[in-house]
Amino acid sequence: MTDHAMHAPAEDHGQEHLSDATYIKIALLLVVITAVEVAIYYVDWFHTSGTLVPALAVLSLVKFITVISYYMHLKVDDPRYRYIFVCGLILAGLIVAALAALMRTHKIDYALRFITGA
Amino acid sequence: MAQAVATLEHAHGAGDIPHAADHADHPPSSTGLDSRKLLMWLFLASDCMFFGSLIAMYMIYRGDAERMFLAGQGAGPVPHEILDIPYTSISAFVLLMSSLTMVLALASIQRGNHRGLRIWLGATAALGLVFMGGQFYEFTAFYHEGLGLTTNIFSNSFFVLTGFHGAHVTIGIIWLISLVIVSLRGGLRQDQAMNVEIAGLYWHFVDIVWIVIFTLVYLIPYDDVTTITEGAEHALRFIGLG
Amino acid sequence: MASIAHQPQIVPQPVTTTKPATGIWSWLTTIDHKRIGLMYGISAFFFLLLGGFEALLIRAQLAQPENDLISAQRYNELFTMHGTTMIFLALMPLTSGFFNYVMPLQIGARDVAFPRLNAFSLWVFIFGAIIINISWFFNEAPNQGWYGYAPLTGTAWSPGRNVDFWMIGIQVLGVASMAASFNFVVTIFNLRAPGMKMMRLPIFTWSTLIVSIMIIFAFPAITVALLLLSFDRYAGTGFYEVAAGGDPLLWQHLFWVFGHPEVYILILPAFGIISEIIPVFSRKPLFGYSVMVYATIAIAFLGFGVWAHHMFTVGLGPTANAVFAGATMLIGIPTGVKIFNWVGTMFRGSLRFTTAMLFAVGLVSQFVIGGLSGVMHAVVPVDAQQNDTYFIIAHFHYVLFGGTVFGLLAGIYFWGPKAFGKMFDERIGKWHFWLTFVGFNLTFFPMHFLGLAGMPRRYFTYAEDSGWGPWNAVVSFGALVLGFSFLVFLYNIYKMVRHGEPAGDDPWDAATLEWAISSPPPAYNFAVIPTVTHRDQLWWDKYGDEHGHAHVQNDDVPKTAEIQREANAAHPHVHLPNPSYFPLLAAAGLGTFALGMLFMNPAITIGLLHLPVLVIVGVALLIFSVYAWAFEPAG
């Protein structure tokens, strides 16, 4: 817990040590990933094999992490910003997942009663 | 609304201490972290919950309109008939590019390049406006195709989710334009780059929300969602009866 | 959490000068955390009395079977407004008052990190409170229950504006709570005095931090729930309408994702308050400080994972019920740890039963009862029997009254002398405590019996042959005693303000920094920013250890209180930020906008858009004041 205590800087410089060229390369990467996402949507194999949704999920996750790491500087900035944001992100993610799962079983439950006539 | 107002508040009201800032833009603190930047990160963490709740709502109702349509009960157009993936891909591209211009604006002011700052901030705002124009056109087109806000559960959840994202973008655009004006009047010095950085954090956040929405709303297909019967069978197996 | 134990290095302070101004304008434009805290406290206390009055009317109606004192409709309004008022307008803002007043003093700061945002929070709260309560004057008070279950809140079942007043009022209050919480978190992270490490923070400040973080994460859920409801009611969408493909269960989920953390948002501040009081009046440091901190964090974390225990009777299925039942029981562990820590603190201490201490000990005992009945309905089948009966009412009043209100009253007796510079009359205080204690138990304990006997909540009357009459008479009598105890309290406040003995800087021989400065504190709080070397700093100063009862006087270390006194005597020129009326104006803009959503005419119609004039005025005012605020020099 006290790891960062010792180097507490008096000023927050935002620590951007990335060059414009890096930013442009990252933008290219993001564009390529987006293009791939859209492209695989039009490939039938992904639909029939059931790999489309996992592939899209992974690709957008990569985009998401790239933007927060580089454009929002979480990778190079003070780690405490990262903790704050990731806490919110994880909490939100867990609650979204739980809500979706709970509501889904609820709907299925209704359908089940409908089918079984209960 | 709460979020939107809170955003504005934090956007502009966040600088209460800073007249220390007339001398140094980063008031020192117990943690060494800038108070306003900390505030923005806390706000973004909180905004994750805001969009998380909206996204949960969308996921819950996702596909319901299609199912009702298949059962012959649905009203109005359903997602697979109306969503235009190539068109929205361009919107997504535009917003991604605006993140690039935003980060270049920040890099400019940190180097003391005020002209660069204004150009890149202006470009970011312009790209944001293109995105909003795209959303406006999309909404209007849907409306003319018979999909209004109240048409079916798909339109309810679609317009509200993407609409609140659009509201966030709009606030961002206003903020960016305000920064350009302040800079033109000489009010943004190199040591005040934090003002740009905080706006940038907000802007990139809006971008990552769109990354999620683009995948969830547009790309993940609606036609292979499990039907109700299949779901019920799953559930039976899950509780050990199937 | 791992990130927050940092060596504070330099402390930023709003700097500039000022004498305490007087007059109403100085209060409207103040950005002093102490004045804001007092205004929070006073307005919230008013709503506490109002909510109590509503409760007395409810009890008058239920005092005997088949009573017709109050109509069924009016009764619905009363219990809805009682719950809404107590939670959002009384308890939360009262805790916020304590956060505002005490926390910056405890960390050795001159104000919060964003003083104008703080004033904005206060005014938004006041506008939100007014919006909800003006519904009485239109005879359209909210009548759907404080948790507003769909589809009852839909236009089909609630065509009037009753629900709208509630929905919009809560939304506005949410803005206030969120803005205040962001501010507190940044303040605690960034404005600590040199040496005030995270693990030296007073426990009350820890509670402030944890509660603020919970508000930050919990309120967005209800914001979204209310937004969807607004769309259903105003725009005709069907998020909660089964016929339109929606699902009312979504409301329940979103509401309780917020609602359960809210319960801890209400109780943790009271825990924090008594964690300051019990050590002082036991003359012993808090037993298990770090465990207390971790227990608070654990409660906060688990508090987000138990919401569905409010929904056991919905039929979520055995898996979901089991998971949420288990998580709910888990919360009993850190809560129990706290109880043991308080008892451990008192154990072999030299106890002084002042009124503040009595209320604190009262909390420990009464909260345990509420906590135990809480664990009872964590058990799903038991909950199925108790759900929607008076047993539940008994449970949560033991938690929120026996817990939160006792804690807040303890806090008023403890910090009142600091804020007003005068002592309460301890003899009347003890009368107040015992009347509250007896009245409280007379009111709420029999509700357990009524609940188990099957009396449902929210019914405006009951039949003669139900057999519930006698206990209801007892409950209503208890409510009268409780009401009377508040009159005694009011008298005691009056007496303190008019004739109280001077309090001096440190009337309780306490341990935290706020007692090192004068009572009431100067506008700038600390003439010089204190340096902290130990937890329970003042005890260290006074007794050479952190234990309050050591006999060693160590005169060779500088004393925080002496340093402050000397610096004050030298008439320090401390620069304070200027007052500002833009926060008030911005809040007024937001309030006007919200009113516009309730009073739709006169309006301007552009195509599909129906824009009430008040909405336009409100938005314009909000935008203007936000810009004016941003460009206003604070120095």
Side-chain angles (χ1 to χ4, degrees):
Chain A
M1 280 206 40
T2 50
D3 285 353
H4 308 288
M6 294 309 120
H7 72 94
E11 290 190 2
D12 184 342
H13 294 287
Q15 344 275 336
E16 291 77 42
H17 301 302
L18 303 172
S19 66
D20 287 3
T22 321
Y23 291 138
I24 292 166
K25 278 182 209 150
I26 289 162
L28 284 174
L29 174 74
L30 292 170
V31 170
V32 168
I33 296 176
T34 309
V36 172
E37 282 184 317
V38 177
I40 63 172
Y41 180 86
Y42 291 99
V43 179
D44 278 344
W45 180 82
F46 281 97
H47 286 262
T48 51
S49 64
T51 41
L52 181 66
V53 175
L56 287 174
V58 170
L59 288 171
S60 50
L61 190 68
V62 171
K63 272 174 26 179
F64 190 99
I65 292 173
T66 310
V67 173
I68 61 172
S69 309
Y70 294 97
Y71 285 172
M72 296 168 92
H73 305 115
L74 279 187
K75 194 178 160 70
V76 288
D77 213 340
D78 193 292
R80 288 168 285 177
Y81 294 125
R82 190 157 65 225
Y83 299 145
I84 290 169
F85 186 66
V86 171
C87 271
L89 206 56
I90 290 176
L91 188 67
L94 289 175
I95 287 176
V96 169
L99 278 181
L102 285 165
M103 287 297 286
R104 189 180 157 75
T105 43
H106 164 71
K107 278 188 201 165
I108 292 168
D109 198 42
Y110 265 111
L112 212 87
R113 276 186 226 164
F114 180 72
I115 292 163
T116 56
Chain B
M1 184 206 71
Q3 294 306 108
V5 172
T7 311
L8 256 178
E9 268 319 306
H10 303 138
H12 300 287
D16 280 16
I17 296 264
H19 297 272
D22 287 345
H23 307 290
D25 201 37
H26 320 292
S29 68
S30 321
T31 52
L33 305 178
D34 182 272
S35 287
R36 291 180 302 150
K37 192 169 163 188
L38 189 57
L39 183 77
M40 180 44 78
W41 273 113
L42 286 165
F43 171 74
L44 295 182
S46 168
D47 225 18
C48 284
M49 275 296 293
F50 177 81
F51 276 107
S53 303
L54 281 174
I55 286 168
M57 175 276 292
Y58 193 86
M59 283 169 74
I60 285 161
Y61 292 136
R62 197 180 191 282
D64 281 6
E66 298 272 0
R67 282 186 212 109
M68 288 171 89
F69 180 77
L70 286 175
Q73 301 169 332
V78 292
H80 82 269
E81 298 174 322
I82 200 162
L83 292 178
D84 186 341
I85 292 174
Y87 177 81
T88 318
S89 309
I90 304 210
S91 285
F93 171 77
V94 166
L95 207 55
L96 278 175
M97 285 306 102
S98 78
S99 258
L100 173 65
T101 53
M102 185 70 233
V103 85
L104 292 176
L106 176 61
S108 301
I109 180 81
Q110 283 171 338
R111 286 192 296 261
N113 177 355
H114 293 273
R115 196 161 159 271
L117 168 77
R118 282 168 222 144
I119 289 171
W120 290 123
L121 277 183
T124 313
L127 287 166
L129 279 171
V130 170
F131 177 84
M132 284 314 293
Q135 191 174 54
F136 181 76
Y137 175 80
E138 183 193 35
F139 281 16
T140 324
F142 284 6
Y143 184 72
H144 289 304
E145 288 175 59
L147 193 79
L149 173 63
T150 57
T151 306
N152 56 29
I153 192 71
F154 161 67
S155 72
N156 294 174
S157 42
F158 171 82
F159 283 117
V160 168
L161 174 61
T162 53
F164 273 103
H165 177 264
H168 273 69
V169 177
T170 309
I171 289 170
I173 294 169
I174 295 170
W175 192 350
L176 294 173
I177 293 173
S178 308
L179 282 177
V180 174
I181 294 169
V182 171
S183 169
L184 280 171
R185 294 171 57 187
L188 254 182
R189 295 189 313 270
Q190 185 177 357
D191 60 3
Q192 291 171 317
M194 189 56 81
N195 292 348
V196 179
E197 184 169 351
I198 291 168
L201 289 175
Y202 175 80
W203 189 261
H204 297 305
F205 179 78
V206 170
D207 185 25
I208 57 177
V209 171
W210 188 254
I211 291 176
V212 177
I213 292 178
F214 178 57
T215 308
L216 179 74
V217 175
Y218 293 88
L219 287 180
I220 294 179
Y222 288 79
D223 51 6
D224 60 0
V225 283
T226 12
T227 63
I228 287 198
T229 337
E230 274 171 327
E233 282 162 6
H234 272 295
L236 276 176
R237 242 174 285 130
F238 187 65
I239 57 176
L241 296 173
Chain C
M1 281 303 126
S3 59
I4 43 191
H6 295 281
Q7 199 97 340
Q9 299 276 319
I10 306 166
V11 178
Q13 295 299 341
V15 272
T16 50
T17 181
T18 290
K19 302 180 202 127
T22 49
I24 184 123
W25 184 247
S26 76
W27 284 84
L28 291 175
T29 59
T30 188
I31 53 170
D32 178 349
H33 73 97
K34 297 181 290 300
R35 288 185 164 202
I36 290 172
L38 283 178
M39 285 193 277
Y40 258 116
I42 291 164
S43 41
F45 195 76
F46 168 77
F47 286 112
L48 184 71
L49 296 179
L50 183 64
F53 179 65
E54 286 156 1
L56 285 178
L57 290 178
I58 291 173
R59 285 321 311 177
Q61 163 65 16
L62 292 178
Q64 49 179 330
E66 315 206 10
N67 200 354
D68 59 357
L69 179 69
I70 289 165
S71 71
Q73 269 313 313
R74 184 68 73 204
Y75 186 85
N76 289 347
E77 296 177 352
L78 282 173
F79 73 67
T80 304
M81 285 302 282
H82 168 70
T84 306
T85 302
M86 284 305 192
I87 289 169
F88 294 104
L89 310 183
L91 300 192
M92 277 188 79
L94 259 177
T95 60
S96 198
F98 278 103
F99 293 166
N100 262 301
Y101 201 99
V102 177
M103 179 272 287
L105 297 176
Q106 284 198 328
I107 62 173
R110 288 198 170 125
D111 208 323
V112 292
F114 304 100
R116 286 180 294 180
L117 187 63
N118 206 22
F120 175 76
S121 307
L122 167 75
W123 297 118
V124 172
F125 152 65
I126 288 182
F127 280 106
I130 292 172
I131 286 169
I132 292 186
N133 274 289
I134 54 169
S135 61
W136 288 113
F137 300 110
F138 296 91
N139 205 12
E140 287 181 298
N143 55 3
Q144 79 291 350
W146 88 272
Y147 41 83
Y149 269 12
L152 183 59
T153 46
T155 41
W157 307 103
S158 301
R161 281 184 300 182
N162 312 56
V163 173
D164 298 335
F165 275 107
W166 177 82
M167 173 176 83
I168 287 169
I170 303 280
Q171 196 74 288
V172 171
L173 293 171
V175 176
S177 298
M178 297 268 288
S181 300
F182 288 125
N183 210 342
F184 294 146
V185 176
V186 175
T187 304
I188 295 172
F189 280 154
N190 269 359
L191 296 195
R192 283 167 286 140
M196 181 64 87
K197 297 179 186 169
M198 291 307 280
M199 289 312 270
R200 285 180 188 162
L201 286 178
I203 288 285
F204 177 72
T205 298
W206 263 109
S207 303
T208 310
L209 176 65
I210 303 289
V211 166
S212 302
I213 291 175
M214 291 187 83
I215 289 176
I216 286 172
F217 289 131
F219 265 78
I222 191 158
T223 304
V224 169
L226 289 168
L227 281 172
L228 299 182
L229 181 63
S230 311
F231 275 98
D232 276 9
R233 289 186 62 84
Y234 282 96
T237 56
F239 291 107
Y240 305 127
E241 299 284 337
V242 176
D247 194 333
L249 198 58
L250 177 63
W251 168 271
Q252 293 193 24
H253 275 298
L254 286 176
F255 183 84
W256 289 116
V257 164
F258 148 79
H260 199 79
E262 171 70 14
V263 174
Y264 294 99
I265 290 166
L266 292 169
I267 190 65
L268 288 177
F271 285 179
I273 289 171
I274 70 158
S275 301
E276 299 294 332
I277 291 172
I278 289 179
V280 166
F281 295 115
S282 308
R283 296 181 69 78
K284 270 178 71 190
L286 186 69
F287 178 79
Y289 169 94
S290 42
V291 178
M292 201 66 140
V293 171
Y294 299 136
T296 311
I297 294 171
I299 290 174
F301 180 74
L302 290 171
F304 277 93
V306 298
W307 75 86
H309 71 209
H310 296 268
M311 302 162 61
F312 280 155
T313 53
V314 161
L316 298 174
T319 317
N321 280 354
V323 169
F324 282 100
T328 305
M329 289 178 196
L330 271 183
I331 287 202
I333 297 172
T335 315
V337 164
K338 281 174 166 286
I339 305 283
F340 282 113
N341 280 356
W342 292 319
V343 176
T345 309
M346 284 186 277
F347 182 67
R348 303 183 92 171
S350 38
L351 302 177
R352 285 182 290 164
F353 283 102
T354 59
T355 311
M357 182 65 165
L358 286 173
F359 273 109
V361 178
L363 183 153
V364 177
S365 61
Q366 303 307 291
F367 182 82
V368 165
I369 298 176
L372 287 178
S373 57
V375 178
M376 283 169 77
H377 35 249
V379 181
V380 182
V382 176
D383 182 73
Q385 192 204 356
Q386 294 166 349
N387 188 59
D388 265 345
T389 69
Y390 268 77
F391 196 90
I392 301 289
I393 310 277
H395 158 70
F396 70 68
H397 281 91
Y398 266 87
V399 176
L400 292 183
F401 197 116
T404 308
V405 175
F406 272 47
L408 292 170
L409 291 173
I412 293 172
Y413 276 102
F414 186 64
W415 280 300
K418 175 54 61 185
F420 295 99
K422 292 174 183 172
M423 299 299 282
F424 280 101
D425 185 322
E426 279 290 316
R427 203 173 52 88
I428 303 176
K430 276 167 193 158
W431 272 101
H432 172 215
F433 169 73
W434 285 110
L435 277 170
T436 310
F437 188 84
V438 171
F440 165 71
N441 277 292
L442 270 180
T443 309
F444 295 109
F445 207 83
M447 287 187 183
H448 291 108
F449 309 141
L450 286 170
L452 290 181
M455 183 171 168
R457 62 194 285 201
R458 300 198 197 90
Y459 282 32
F460 85 108
T461 193
Y462 49 92
E464 192 90 55
D465 58 4
S466 62
W468 300 328
W471 280 125
N472 269 303
V474 174
V475 168
S476 293
F477 173 71
L480 273 182
V481 177
L482 208 47
F484 179 68
S485 80
F486 271 88
L487 290 181
V488 173
F489 185 41
L490 281 175
Y491 174 69
N492 205 7
I493 295 174
Y494 166 80
K495 194 160 179 238
M496 180 268 287
V497 173
R498 292 301 297 271
H499 312 292
E501 299 281 318
D505 295 1
D506 184 13
W508 310 122
D509 191 10
T512 39
L513 290 179
E514 70 269 30
W515 305 102
I517 52 177
S518 63
S519 314
Y524 46 77
N525 296 351
F526 296 94
V528 286
I529 297 301
T531 304
V532 178
T533 51
H534 293 86
R535 202 183 284 161
D536 294 339
Q537 178 70 27
L538 294 202
W539 278 353
W540 179 266
D541 287 348
K542 286 183 277 197
Y543 301 110
D545 69 357
E546 297 176 26
H547 292 245
H549 56 62
H551 303 290
V552 198
Q553 276 284 356
N554 61 338
D555 294 323
D556 48 337
V557 289
K559 308 286 193 290
T560 313
E562 278 168 28
I563 295 170
Q564 294 299 329
R565 263 195 299 276
E566 280 163 21
N568 251 327
H571 300 292
H573 197 71
V574 183
H575 222 49
L576 290 172
N578 290 332
S580 169
Y581 53 86
F582 292 122
L584 175 59
L585 220 52
L590 185 61
T592 313
F593 167 71
L595 281 177
M597 297 303 289
L598 289 162
F599 301 94
M600 301 296 280
N601 289 309
I604 298 164
T605 304
I606 309 165
L608 288 170
L609 285 177
H610 180 82
L611 292 173
V613 169
L614 284 177
V615 165
I616 299 170
V617 171
V619 171
L621 189 57
L622 182 63
I623 292 175
F624 164 75
S625 21
V626 164
Y627 272 94
W629 173 347
F631 293 107
E632 177 191 44

